[in-house]
Structure formats: structure tokens, C-alpha cells
């Protein structure tokens, strides 16, 4: 997600706190932007975890495995 999208999320959050609130269209836009932001953060986190290794007591590198495997 780019900075423009984050700025728009923040703008909508500020407007939601005002007495006039958000229109239905703005609520839908906010939901779409929030989902895009969450997906962006999760994708970045997954990329970091895919490149994470643990070093055991013997100095061997082990790749981080998904839970349940």
C-alpha cells in the first residue's frame, strides 16, 4: 500500500470521529482500504518469516517452519 492510501485511511478515520460521520460510500471505501492495508502488512510479514532461520546449539541453521508441520 502506498502513502496516499494510508493518508486516505487516516482522513476517513478523522472524519468518522466528527459529528457528521461517514457516508455509506465512505464506509465501504474505508473497509476496502483497511483490507488492502492488512493484506500488505501480512504479505510483508510472510516475506520476512520466509527468510527467518534459527541457529541451534551446534551452530546449525534451521529454516523457520509453519506451525503444525
Amino acid at each position: 500500500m502506498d502513502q496516499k492510501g494510508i493518508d486516505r485511511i487516516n482522513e476517513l478515520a478523522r472524519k468518522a470521529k466528527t459529528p457528521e460521520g461517514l457516508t455509506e460510500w465512505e464506509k465501504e471505501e474505508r473497509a476496502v482500504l483497511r483490507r488492502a492495508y492488512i493484506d500488505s502488512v501480512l504479505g510483508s510479514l510472510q516475506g520476512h518469516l520466509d527468510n527467518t532461520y534459527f541457529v541451534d546449539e551446534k551452530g546449525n541453521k534451521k529454516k523457520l517452519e509453519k506451525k503444525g508441520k
Side-chain angles (χ1 to χ4, degrees):
M1 167 157 287
D2 60 351
Q3 188 60 41
K4 188 176 178 181
I6 294 171
D7 292 341
R8 182 64 179 152
I9 291 171
N10 290 331
E11 180 183 329
L12 290 170
R14 283 190 295 275
K15 186 175 179 189
K17 294 178 183 177
T18 64
E20 66 187 41
L22 297 174
T23 64
E24 288 302 315
W25 185 83
E26 289 171 329
K27 288 178 184 177
E28 291 174 17
E29 179 187 12
R30 179 179 64 177
V32 168
L33 289 170
R34 283 180 172 176
R35 184 77 254 165
Y37 178 76
I38 290 168
D39 291 343
S40 156
V41 170
L42 289 176
S44 176
L45 177 61
Q46 186 63 47
H48 281 88
L49 292 175
D50 287 344
N51 294 307
T52 301
Y53 293 87
F54 288 104
V55 179
D56 65 11
E57 304 83 29
K58 297 178 184 177
N60 299 322
K61 286 174 71 173
K62 292 184 179 181
K63 187 156 180 65
L64 181 65
E65 296 179 5
K66 289 187 179 183
K67 191 173 182 179
K69 280 191 170 183

